[in-house]
Amino acid sequence: MEPLRIDFPAMRTEFGFVLAGEDPRRLRAAAEEARAEVEAAERELSAFSLGSLLNKVNREAGAGPVRVPAPLFELLALCRRVHEESGGAFDPSVAPLLGAWGFRGAAGSAAAAAAARPAVGLDGLALDPAAGTVRFRRPGMQLDLGGIGKGDALDRAAAALVEAGVGAFLLHGGHSTFLARGAPPGQRGWRVGVRDPADPGRLLAGVELRDRALSVSDRRGRTAVVAGEERGHIIDPVRGAPAAGELAVVAAPSAAEADAWSTALLAGASPHPVSWLALPAAPPVPSP
Amino acid sequence: MNDLARRDFLRGAAGGLAGLALVPELDRLFPVLPPGAPLRTALVGCGKRGKEILAELAKIDGVELAAICDRDPGKLKSGGRRAKEAARYASVEELLAGESELQAVLVATSTDQHRPVAEAALAAGKHVWCEAPLANTIEDARALAAAGAAAAAAGRVFAAGFTARTNPVYGRARSVYKAGGVRSLVAARGAWFHKESWRAVAPTDERQRLLDWRVDPARCAGLPGECASHAIDALLWFTKETPTRVAGHGAILLHDDGREVADTVWLDLALAKGRRMSFEGSIANSFEGDNLVLRGTHGTIKLAQTHAWLFKEADAVTMGWEVYAHRQPFHRDEGIVLLANATQLADQGKLEEGAGLPNPPLYYSLHDFAAAVLEGTAPACGAAEALPPTVLGILADQAVRRGEELAVEPALLGLEG
């Protein structure tokens, strides 16, 4: 039987699911439940939607602790872990810098970025696991989960599919983050190609994914022109400026980890234009 | 928005002439519950709608989710992932026995279970918010409305989730309608298009039957009951026009999987003076989504959940406010955004793209319920308001199934009948 495919808009990009199985009715119903998970994640994590839970956190966590549901709390805990393990290269608190560099509509400038820098630093994020609350200890601190949100949405969708009994699927968010479970009939895994951003007709690599996620961060994904120079949308939190890397590709056990680490790798000013990282199948042990 | 954030925003807004005018609109867009102990609630039903409720509750300060309940273990487990701090129950009886401090119950079960669950909660002395429609049979709808009205008379809150009545953009549009913004009603057209199967996935046949309630004609009044009832409710609220007859047709155009419930329907409701309301609904197509259009002799209002617009006829009287209002092009028409101070709010980043509500309509319905309980006021949609659209939706479903026009008995729509 042909796999079921659905594509739909979410998180300001396109998501796609490919589900393999024998019962088309069950596959469709499962895909609908998984899509609902992505849409729920978008409503919760969007930095653009005023009604999102993240926006509530951004509005209120500077004034005191804000209680958040477990999925968001766990995601923020993952953000902090990757932030620490990446030496600060992954930092969702760069939100003020995204505006200052012109990625939120208004024109950006180095001067605006310099003024925004004191608000940046995930060490200002206080998480209280017992109370399930989030608090900002830095004045002006704001979070943007664009570097991990698509991956988290895919993880939620995958959980719904597994719960629905679907054993073989490939999901993508924006053609840049992929999550595979099982394999198509007769194959060892789902084949995913990594395009050369400088020459989209050329494949840099072909990857066979099975029970694993892959994320590609590309400097050209979104750009803004600042002082006549085109800048990529991923911010290097250490320098407080758009990252210099070209492309980062990460394989990881979960889509959220892959997403976050590919952002970190690109933001981390690697001397190599293309960076590759494969995390072990088991999640790394958090640093003490 | 908490008090502090609200004060900050108002301080900023008060700098200009428009600042004072913003206040009432902001109160509606970012409502705040009174200070004090939070409202202790439980959610019954952790399916798709239940999860949406959990997401909105997480944003409402002043409401505490104490427990969740679902008779399907899979749904209870997935609900529990979103609400880890909440106690879990497999039946409403266990929930009510186990949570003595509970104040309110939110009912988001399959429609056929609204009555037994809500009645059990009301009998236990709880305030109840019930997803709309009230029921899938006229008998159940009338019985639940009567129970809700009796509870309200005894000082408790019974509210239904017909979200038009608590939607701030619909409220603004209604005030324009009432002020003669479209003058005399010509026609109304409701639409609900969302491509989906209305099926769920379960590991056993028994659980599958339990979860596939929307394709079971004994447990669901189809697209007319589940979806058209909301458009009918908005029509009733805006126009006070009660349909006198209802006709309908339906077909299965995509989901030919053994179901008997139509996946596409067309309804025709007769109004006073020869006017009609039409409704099209389908789960075989998504274009246009969910909206209601009210056409008048001087203009047209389009209501689309988080957005609403006024389209004026060339000979319509200028009301004044619309000269400076936010406008959007629609092919060859121009829509005036029906949200007070939309231009200023949009400029300040206080509205969604296209000048729409910051929160989904469900948020305002739940907030209105919590406010009614904590402030001791009547909810916007109580038993008397929820009964007529529920009954009309059920009658429309009967018209579709029988393929014939049915007269609407006015006595069926009132609590006293």
Side-chain angles (χ1 to χ4, degrees):
Chain A
M1 197 195 109
E2 280 292 300
L4 173 77
R5 293 169 183 268
I6 67 165
D7 298 294
F8 56 96
M11 294 186 162
R12 297 196 164 207
T13 184
E14 185 176 83
F15 276 66
F17 298 168
V18 185
L19 278 57
E22 293 304 315
D23 184 343
R25 198 176 80 179
R26 287 177 67 86
L27 288 183
R28 178 169 285 279
E32 289 169 2
E33 292 202 8
R35 177 180 175 171
E37 290 292 334
V38 171
E39 290 166 344
E42 179 178 20
R43 284 193 298 273
E44 192 173 308
L45 307 180
S46 170
F48 301 97
S49 169
L50 291 165
S52 75
L53 197 54
L54 180 67
N55 230 302
K56 176 180 163 67
V57 170
N58 280 339
R59 281 197 307 268
E60 300 177 4
V66 178
R67 193 168 181 186
V68 298
L72 179 56
F73 189 91
E74 288 161 9
L75 183 64
L76 294 177
L78 175 62
C79 287
R80 203 168 59 179
R81 176 163 68 79
V82 178
H83 173 77
E84 290 167 1
E85 292 174 358
S86 66
F90 176 72
D91 193 336
S93 74
V94 295
L97 286 172
L98 286 167
W101 282 109
F103 294 101
R104 290 290 181 269
S109 69
R117 281 198 73 176
V120 177
L122 207 63
D123 57 337
L125 177 69
L127 298 175
D128 183 340
T133 58
V134 181
R135 190 165 62 83
F136 294 162
R137 290 183 296 213
R138 252 176 209 283
M141 189 170 173
Q142 300 277 286
L143 298 178
D144 184 304
L145 298 176
I148 195 170
K150 287 200 303 274
D152 182 58
L154 293 181
D155 287 335
R156 295 189 197 194
L161 291 174
V162 169
E163 204 159 280
V166 182
F169 54 81
L170 177 69
L171 317 178
H172 81 78
H175 298 276
S176 59
T177 303
F178 293 82
L179 179 58
R181 286 285 177 271
Q187 297 183 44
R188 288 185 308 170
W190 298 88
R191 288 183 189 165
V192 176
V194 179
R195 276 197 190 126
D196 182 346
D199 179 6
R202 190 172 81 92
L203 278 184
L204 280 179
V207 179
E208 203 161 56
L209 279 183
R210 183 182 184 122
D211 300 331
R212 204 143 169 83
L214 182 87
S215 181
V216 179
S217 287
D218 173 6
R219 183 180 68 80
R220 295 171 181 80
R222 199 179 308 138
T223 59
V225 176
V226 180
E229 190 182 341
E230 188 181 63
R231 310 263 193 163
H233 70 295
I234 292 182
I235 301 286
D236 173 356
V238 177
R239 292 189 306 117
E246 289 289 323
L247 186 77
V249 185
V250 170
S254 75
E257 285 174 290
D259 207 1
W261 275 103
S262 67
T263 306
L265 222 53
L266 197 69
S270 161
H272 306 291
V274 180
S275 306
W276 298 82
L277 174 70
L279 295 181
V285 179
S287 52
Chain B
M1 184 180 274
N2 65 15
D3 282 348
L4 191 66
R6 169 184 291 269
R7 277 199 299 276
D8 286 347
F9 179 79
L10 294 179
R11 223 178 0 251
L17 282 177
L20 289 175
L22 284 174
V23 178
E25 193 68 22
L26 268 181
D27 279 345
R28 287 169 180 260
L29 297 178
F30 299 100
V32 176
L33 291 173
L39 179 66
R40 199 170 161 80
T41 61
L43 171 71
V44 183
C46 299
K48 188 179 175 191
R49 191 59 163 173
K51 284 182 192 156
E52 290 171 0
I53 289 172
L54 289 176
E56 298 312 314
L57 283 182
K59 298 185 295 187
I60 303 177
D61 294 327
V63 176
E64 178 192 352
L65 183 72
I68 59 173
C69 172
D70 201 301
R71 57 182 174 171
D72 180 76
K75 296 294 175 199
L76 186 59
K77 187 178 163 193
S78 65
R81 276 202 297 270
R82 297 198 64 79
K84 285 194 173 168
E85 71 287 357
R88 301 182 195 184
Y89 296 91
S91 75
V92 70
E93 292 77 17
E94 292 170 38
L95 165 74
L96 294 170
E99 296 289 329
S100 58
E101 302 296 312
L102 203 61
Q103 294 169 279
V105 173
L106 311 173
V107 182
T109 62
S110 55
T111 302
D112 63 310
Q113 292 300 304
H114 286 179
R115 180 186 172 185
V117 171
E119 284 185 347
L122 289 170
K126 312 302 178 195
H127 304 283
V128 169
W129 179 94
C130 181
E131 174 62 315
L134 291 182
N136 66 311
T137 69
I138 292 174
E139 181 188 358
D140 280 357
R142 293 190 57 76
L144 179 52
R156 272 171 285 128
V157 174
F158 176 79
F162 281 115
T163 55
R165 291 172 187 263
T166 48
N167 181 327
V169 295
Y170 282 35
R172 167 71 172 157
R174 185 171 177 261
S175 68
V176 170
Y177 184 91
K178 292 288 181 192
V182 304
R183 190 64 69 89
S184 179
L185 184 71
V186 172
R189 186 197 70 203
W192 193 95
F193 288 94
H194 191 96
K195 188 174 180 181
E196 57 185 335
S197 67
W198 273 16
R199 287 200 182 273
V201 192
T204 66
D205 289 347
E206 185 189 354
R207 280 172 63 186
Q208 188 74 51
R209 277 193 296 275
L210 193 71
L211 296 177
D212 275 349
W213 62 274
R214 287 186 294 180
V215 295
D216 182 348
R219 302 174 63 205
C220 174
L223 281 159
E226 291 296 317
C227 307
S229 60
H230 289 264
I232 293 169
D233 176 57
L235 174 86
L236 296 177
W237 189 48
F238 271 67
T239 69
K240 303 286 183 198
E241 291 246 8
T242 304
T244 53
R245 303 185 70 81
V246 55
H249 304 277
I252 295 174
L253 300 178
L254 173 64
H255 303 290
D256 192 8
D257 55 7
R259 72 182 66 190
E260 297 169 35
V261 174
D263 66 16
T264 303
V265 300
W266 297 265
L267 305 179
D268 180 23
L269 293 88
L271 306 173
K273 299 180 186 173
R275 296 183 287 221
R276 325 287 294 190
M277 174 186 181
S278 62
F279 176 88
E280 283 184 286
S282 181
I283 53 171
N285 178 278
S286 296
F287 181 66
E288 261 201 319
D290 182 359
N291 66 76
L292 175 67
V293 174
L294 299 170
R295 296 174 187 274
T297 53
H298 276 196
T300 298
I301 286 176
K302 181 171 183 177
L303 306 163
Q305 301 302 310
T306 52
H307 295 67
W309 302 270
L310 169 68
F311 301 83
K312 290 183 69 177
E313 296 289 341
D315 58 349
V317 176
T318 297
M319 291 173 281
W321 62 268
E322 80 272 31
V323 174
Y324 302 104
H326 196 68
R327 290 164 186 262
Q328 290 173 336
F330 285 78
H331 187 40
R332 288 182 299 182
D333 297 310
E334 186 176 62
I336 301 168
V337 174
L338 289 176
L339 202 58
N341 303 305
T343 303
Q344 294 95 323
L345 288 167
D347 287 347
Q348 293 164 16
K350 299 297 172 190
L351 293 179
E352 289 298 283
E353 201 169 353
L357 278 183
N359 291 293
L362 176 63
Y363 172 91
Y364 297 98
S365 179
L366 296 168
H367 204 286
D368 177 75
F369 169 69
V373 173
L374 295 172
E375 294 170 351
T377 56
C381 186
E385 291 79 21
L387 181 59
T390 298
V391 169
L392 288 162
I394 295 166
L395 284 174
D397 182 54
Q398 291 174 357
V400 169
R401 291 193 206 187
R402 295 181 198 169
E404 60 186 45
E405 188 175 67
L406 301 176
V408 177
E409 285 182 46
L412 289 178
L413 308 181
L415 290 169
E416 302 80 21

